[in-house]
Amino acid sequence: MDTVWYLTRRVLQALVVILLVTVVVFCLLHALPGGPARGILGPQATAQQIAAFNHEQGLDRPLPVQYVHYLGTLLHGDLGTSYTLNEAVSRLITQRLPKTLVLTVLSALVGLLLAVPLGMWQAVRRNRPVDYVVTTLSFVAYSTPVYFLGLLLILLFTQVLNWFPSQAPQGDTLGQVFADPVGLVLPVATGAASMVAVFSRYMRASTLENLSEDYVRTARAGGSGPYAILFRHVFRNSLTPVIAMLGYYVPVLFGGALVVEQLFNYPGMGLLFWSAAQASDYPVLLGCVLVISVATVVGTLLADVVQRVVDPRVKEGRV
């Protein structure tokens, strides 16, 4: 019953946050220079054209009424229409989002598969030369801009070694993306690099903290070997803060995807956002912001749920 109440409360909190996100996006839409009409019709529109557009779209009504209408359109999946591509924003995002999810999920999986054992390895070899070397490389990888790192990988692996193509897989479907797995190597590696640097540090700190706990000393006194202690006891407990951090890392993954997709010409939502920013296509920009914000809230919620399953000791009052 406690778990059900905890999950119900977290879901309700997530819904409230999503509602606040819609308020922020609605305010951003109306904060555009000259209002939505000027942004859509362009700087050459006359006052009469703007007035006619506002009346046609209901933008001359009170803001609370407009917000209720806006919320209703969102619930029906209507995010507006791109005035540069002349397509529904929801359709554009539906086409691009799966490819961005493939890129971000693969980057996250590769990053975690490398970061978790690397962090534990550093903790076991704390204050040894290898720990200092890996720590230095982690700081360098974390401080290196994604765009610069991607350019270095392109220069090394496409120009010098000629191992991988400089362009990510093209196509409108996931099948076309997966048909060229070699083209995904460099984008995934670029997206995973900073994640390895960050999460290996978290895993190292968490492992060191657990190695100093009483239950580890008890296990040693009971005759358990170092590997049994590390993998049977310390590993699971050390994952808890890493899992919690993963949910909050969702916006970073999407932000990195924006740069990676533009750099490797990967046809995902990040490239769509980049192109919309170049063309001042505000409906597409705000639609992407809304989707990424909702994904962040959902990612945080899922991280809390998984953390609760992994560690039932999570307090009910924890947010």
Side-chain angles (χ1 to χ4, degrees), residues 36-37 40 50-61 66 69:
I40 294 174
I50 291 178
F53 179 87
N54 287 336
H55 180 73
E56 180 183 351
Q57 300 295 324
L59 297 175
D60 53 354
R61 292 181 291 180
Q66 291 186 48
H69 175 73

Side-chain angles (χ1 to χ4, degrees), residues 150-208:
L151 288 176
L152 289 180
L153 293 180
I154 291 175
L155 179 63
L156 176 62
F157 290 103
T158 67
Q159 302 298 320
V160 179
L161 300 176
N162 196 26
W163 288 358
F164 305 107
S166 60
Q167 182 171 265
Q170 302 298 300
D172 297 328
T173 64
L174 289 180
Q176 292 172 311
V177 172
F178 287 121
D180 183 19
V182 177
L184 284 172
V185 173
L186 290 185
V188 170
T190 304
S194 62
M195 190 169 185
V196 173
V198 172
F199 281 86
S200 64
R201 301 300 300 164
Y202 275 102
M203 193 65 189
R204 177 184 182 276
S206 181
T207 303
L208 287 175

Side-chain angles (χ1 to χ4, degrees), residues 183-269:
L184 284 172
V185 173
L186 290 185
V188 170
T190 304
S194 62
M195 190 169 185
V196 173
V198 172
F199 281 86
S200 64
R201 301 300 300 164
Y202 275 102
M203 193 65 189
R204 177 184 182 276
S206 181
T207 303
L208 287 175
E209 181 180 353
N210 280 276
L211 286 173
S212 63
E213 294 289 340
D214 292 336
Y215 74 86
V216 173
R217 288 190 286 269
T218 302
R220 286 173 180 162
S224 297
Y227 288 101
I229 293 174
L230 191 63
F231 292 104
R232 291 182 184 176
H233 305 286
V234 175
F235 175 69
R236 179 175 177 177
N237 292 330
S238 299
L239 275 181
T240 302
V242 175
I243 292 174
M245 186 62 190
L246 184 61
Y248 299 104
Y249 207 74
V250 171
V252 179
L253 287 173
F254 275 102
L258 188 153
V259 178
V260 172
E261 289 180 13
Q262 191 276 335
L263 183 62
F264 292 94
N265 195 32
Y266 182 76
M269 198 172 70

Side-chain angles (χ1 to χ4, degrees), residues 2 5 40 42 44 47 51 90 113 119-120 138 171 178 198 220 234 305 312:
D2 290 341
W5 167 241
I40 294 174
Q44 304 301 324
S90 57
L113 288 175
M120 295 183 66
S138 297
F178 287 121
V198 172
R220 286 173 180 162
V234 175
V305 172

Side-chain angles (χ1 to χ4, degrees), residues 7 20 22 33 44 53 72 86 92 99 112 119 133 139 142 176 194 202 204-205 211 236 238 242 248 283 293 297 313:
L7 296 179
L20 292 176
T22 63
Q44 304 301 324
F53 179 87
N86 198 28
L92 292 171
K99 285 172 278 191
L112 287 178
V133 171
F139 284 136
Y142 179 71
Q176 292 172 311
S194 62
Y202 275 102
R204 177 184 182 276
L211 286 173
R236 179 175 177 177
S238 299
V242 175
Y248 299 104
S293 301
V297 175
R313 298 172 300 172

